[in-house]
Amino acid sequence: MEQDEWDELKAAAVEVMGHAYAPYSRYAVGAAARVDDGRTVVGCNVENAAYGVVLCAECGLVSQLHATGGGRLTHFVCVNGDGEVIMPCGRCRQLLFEHGGRDLLLWTVSGIRPMAEVLPDAFGPDDLAKTAATTAATTATTTEESK
C-alpha cells in the first residue's frame, strides 16, 4: 500500500474518532483498516460507567468487519483524539491477530510493522486447531485400546 493510501486510512480513523464515546477517560480513539476485498472498516471506542467493559475502537472495527461480510484485515491504523498514531492495547493486538494474521500490516508509533513483530509468537486459531487434532487422535487411540 502506498503512503497516500495509508494517509487515507488514517483520515478515516481520525473521522470515526470524532464519534467516540469517551466521557470518563476523555481519551477518544478511532481505528480504520483495509480488508482483503478492498473495503475499509472503522471503529471508535465506546466507554461505559462500568469501566472494565469498555469497547475499544478495534472491537468496533472487527464487529463492522463481520457485519459487512467478513474477510481478513490487511492494513490497520488507530489514532488518539489529537489524530496521532497510537498502538493497540494487548487485548486488541490479539483481536487484530485473529482477524488479520501474522501478515497484517499496522501503522505503529515506530512505522509500518507486520503483526508478527507487534505480537510475536502469538497464540491463535491454528494453535487451537492443533490442540483439537491432538485431542481427537488421543481420544481415538484411548477408545480403541479400551475395546
Side-chain angles (χ1 to χ4, degrees):
M1 196 158 86
E2 300 295 324
Q3 185 58 49
D4 62 328
E5 294 173 292
W6 278 109
D7 291 340
E8 289 172 13
L9 202 58
K10 182 181 176 191
V14 169
E15 181 179 342
V16 75
M17 177 271 305
H19 298 285
Y21 178 71
Y24 308 106
S25 72
R26 306 258 188 254
Y27 193 77
V29 177
R34 184 69 42 88
V35 182
D36 57 2
D37 65 5
R39 280 178 296 140
T40 298
V41 291
V42 297
C44 60
N45 60 322
V46 177
E47 295 181 346
N48 186 299
Y51 295 109
V53 292
V54 168
L55 297 175
C56 295
E58 295 87 344
C59 296
L61 181 146
V62 169
S63 183
Q64 187 181 56
L65 170 70
H66 288 281
T68 60
R72 299 294 284 170
L73 301 175
T74 60
H75 301 78
F76 172 87
V77 63
C78 62
V79 299
N80 64 17
D82 294 326
E84 300 166 333
V85 172
I86 58 173
M87 290 298 290
C89 69
R91 176 184 82 159
C92 289
R93 291 178 197 196
Q94 181 67 37
L95 183 67
L96 292 169
F97 174 78
E98 179 96 9
H99 299 282
R102 299 179 195 295
D103 296 328
L104 169 61
L105 295 176
L106 287 79
W107 185 352
T108 74
V109 296
S110 57
I112 308 299
R113 301 279 186 260
M115 181 54 78
E117 287 181 23
V118 175
L119 188 65
D121 302 321
F123 179 86
D126 293 342
D127 297 297
L128 293 174
K130 289 177 197 172
T131 300
T134 301
T135 301
T138 301
T139 301
T141 302
T142 305
T143 302
E144 274 301 308
E145 290 173 354
S146 66
K147 288 183 180 180

